[in-house]
Amino acid sequence: MLETAKRIAVLTGAGISAESGIPTFRGAGGLWKNFRPEELATPEAFERDPATVWEWYLWRRELIAKAEPNRGHRALAELEERTPDFALITQNVDALHDRAGSRRILKVHGDIWTNRCQRCARETETLSGERPPRCGCGGFLRPGVVWFGEELPRAVWQEAERAAGRAEVMLVVGTSAQVYPAAGLVPYARQNGAMVIEINLEPTAVSNSVDLHLWGPSGEILPQII
Ligand code: BJW
Ligand code: ZN
């Protein structure tokens, strides 16, 4: 299927970057100073304690800056090279897919390397030393990611739905598939005729509704199948 498919969609989650040393959200090793990621990745947390949330993102940016894309990221870049209609839908904000050479990347949860003003929504590259830094308008800057309860970037999401809806094969890699609407792309692709292949260390929320599982680290399995 992978050899002959003209249209392939891939959905990735934090698990694909685990072998680059970046902690996943759920499960072992996801804690930072006793906070759960779910307690920090919300607009309410930022309102209550912007300094702590900003510091968490600074810590993650440092980790990501030191990390390198792994063999899983690179295998997907290679698959894109030989697939006429390819879309990489990622929930990850780390930009490791970009650094591995992927081109058509749909970042449905944003990008940790961007900053925008919580008040006026303007994007900014230069940061003052405050924690969090402030925009010219006086509002706090925040990372350009999607928190719980926030809308996904609309155009990116529409592209992701279109890609999932027309794929002949969908690979679902390293995601617990608990967060919506991204997780809904898996049954959506399958209902529209895709063969869905899940790659993960363990069963997930969508394991019952895929065609094939490959259990193991994505950094090993992706290069093997691609
Ligand atoms: C390996 C491995 C290895 C490890 N190899 N595998 C429908 C039903 C119920 C609830 C909702 C619903 N629709 C919306 C909601 C609410 C909410 C939601 O989904 N809640 C659920 C938790 C129940 N969704 C939202 O709020 C979304 N917004 C929204 O719906 O807006 C509606 C709206 C419309 C109009 C106006 C306003 C609003 C937004 C969701 C945003 C999610 N944001 C985060 C943070 C991003 C920023 C940041 O990075 O800080 O995104 S949360 C976090 O979870 C992050 C991730 O992208 C996301 C998914 O996690 P992921 O990638 O699956 O990671 P893990 O850790 O869960 O799993 C890792 C997996 O890898 C595991 O399975 C491991 O086994 C595996 N693994 N090593 C292969 N080597
Ligand atoms: Zn502003």
Side-chain angles (χ1 to χ4, degrees), residues 30-44:
L31 289 187
W32 174 75
K33 296 186 182 173
N34 297 324
F35 291 98
R36 318 189 143 279
E38 291 87 344
E39 291 166 17
L40 294 165
T42 71
E44 292 77 22

Side-chain angles (χ1 to χ4, degrees), residues 116-122 134-141:
R116 79 164 181 269
C117 174
Q118 177 74 341
R119 189 188 290 170
C120 74
R122 202 175 323 149
R134 284 182 192 270
C135 168
C137 83
F140 284 132
L141 292 178

Side-chain angles (χ1 to χ4, degrees), residues 1-2 24 31 35 37 44 50 55 104 107 109 114 124 126 138 142 154 168 174-175 177 184 195 197 204-205 212 214:
M1 287 293 290
L2 281 175
T24 59
L31 289 187
F35 291 98
E44 292 77 22
E55 245 193 88
R104 184 132 192 271
K107 294 179 187 165
H109 290 165
T114 62
T124 280
T126 44
R142 53 164 287 180
R154 198 169 294 166
E168 295 162 80
T175 175
M195 179 195 186
I197 305 171
T204 70
L212 181 68
L214 299 169

Side-chain angles (χ1 to χ4, degrees), residues 12-62:
T12 65
I16 196 168
S17 295
E19 288 155 85
S20 295
I22 300 174
T24 59
F25 290 92
R26 295 162 191 85
L31 289 187
W32 174 75
K33 296 186 182 173
N34 297 324
F35 291 98
R36 318 189 143 279
E38 291 87 344
E39 291 166 17
L40 294 165
T42 71
E44 292 77 22
F46 190 68
E47 216 150 280
R48 213 167 34 234
D49 189 353
T52 297
V53 174
W54 182 257
E55 245 193 88
W56 181 53
Y57 281 95
L58 280 186
W59 173 75
R60 288 177 55 204
R61 281 179 178 177
E62 273 169 38

